[in-house]
Amino acid sequence: MIKNIVFDMGKVLVGFDADRVCGHYMDNEEEKRAVSTSVFVSPEWLMLDMGVISEEEALKRMQDRLETDHAKEMAALCLAHWHEYNMWPMESMGELVRELKAMGYGIYLCSNASERLLECYRIIPGIECFDGILFSAEVKCVKPQKEMYQHLFERFHLKPEECFFIDDVMLNIEGARACGMDGYCFADGDEAALRAALKRLNRNAD
């Protein structure tokens, strides 16, 4: 019987577009691409999610890949302010969270995210419904590593077989299943299909 619904954050509850902050600070398309790639498509970005590097050290490495002083300055601005531009709440998913909470489900978050999100996670729609939140940087590992899911279960005293995970990356769903937690890949963003899958859970529980 499924008692808990576990959500990923990015592209499930919160929209994300890495180019938004770059577009805010830069007009030159070539420079925007260079900065966006160096900051957001980088090993340092993953290391920030894992909580194994400081933002200061990450920025230095990101800037070292850029050719001009202006691009380096833009990288600093983009890293400092990305959370103000790159994320927005998916309000209809917030409605789903509230409906699931009203049905009696426990509601949890399990997301690959840097420590920055500890300061601004209230952008998540339906945040008042969550019984627990786990960000990867807190525990120095990321999905789909089994350790990430084990931290979720242990921190909130959850049984994997009683949880259902919603994530936009199939590898993360497969990682969850390997730990005993079934799930649904929301890569297509089709909320109607997700709701149908959740309704089937209810029938199975009956």
Side-chain angles (χ1 to χ4, degrees):
M1 180 178 179
I2 299 299
K3 298 180 179 180
N4 308 291
I5 308 297
V6 182
F7 288 90
D8 176 37
M9 183 174 62
K11 299 185 179 180
V12 174
L13 296 171
V14 174
F16 182 83
D17 180 353
D19 289 336
R20 281 192 171 196
V21 69
C22 297
H24 179 77
Y25 288 112
M26 290 169 277
D27 295 320
N28 182 282
E29 291 297 328
E30 184 176 350
E31 185 178 58
K32 279 195 288 188
R33 285 194 300 272
V35 171
S36 181
T37 300
S38 187
V39 175
F40 300 112
V41 188
S42 68
E44 293 80 27
W45 189 254
L46 177 60
M47 293 168 73
L48 286 169
D49 279 355
M50 293 186 73
V52 297
I53 192 173
S54 68
E55 288 201 1
E56 293 75 17
E57 178 60 24
L59 175 60
K60 183 179 182 300
R61 296 187 187 189
M62 292 166 177
Q63 289 175 320
D64 285 345
R65 288 192 290 269
L66 296 167
E67 296 181 358
T68 69
D69 289 341
H70 187 263
K72 295 176 191 292
E73 179 185 347
M74 293 300 100
L77 277 173
C78 290
L79 183 62
H81 297 284
W82 68 265
H83 62 285
E84 300 169 22
Y85 298 95
N86 291 1
M87 300 187 300
W88 61 93
M90 297 166 61
E91 296 294 354
S92 58
M93 290 297 289
E95 294 172 11
L96 175 59
V97 167
R98 294 181 185 97
E99 291 170 19
L100 292 167
K101 185 68 174 180
M103 293 169 65
Y105 286 108
I107 306 293
Y108 296 88
L109 186 82
C110 182
S111 179
N112 289 350
S114 67
E115 291 183 359
R116 178 81 62 86
L117 272 297
L118 295 172
E119 303 172 8
C120 54
Y121 67 86
R122 294 203 170 273
I123 191 175
I124 297 169
I127 187 63
E128 72 279 1
C129 297
F130 280 77
D131 298 288
I133 291 173
L134 178 65
F135 288 138
S136 56
E138 299 178 77
V139 291
K140 306 295 189 289
C141 55
V142 293
K143 301 173 295 183
Q145 291 177 299
K146 65 181 181 181
E147 290 83 2
M148 182 70 174
Y149 306 105
Q150 289 168 347
H151 279 293
L152 173 75
F153 304 141
E154 292 170 8
R155 176 177 292 192
F156 302 118
H157 309 289
L158 304 175
K159 295 180 180 179
E161 65 273 16
E162 293 179 350
C163 299
F164 190 78
F165 185 40
I166 301 166
D167 195 291
D168 66 309
V169 177
M170 193 63 210
L171 278 176
N172 294 340
I173 297 297
E174 292 171 354
R177 287 173 175 159
C179 294
M181 174 170 62
D182 199 5
Y184 179 91
C185 184
F186 190 56
D188 60 4
D190 187 337
E191 292 181 25
L194 172 59
R195 285 176 174 274
L198 290 169
K199 285 182 180 178
R200 289 194 293 271
L201 283 183
N202 295 338
R203 287 201 297 269
N204 290 341
D206 294 338

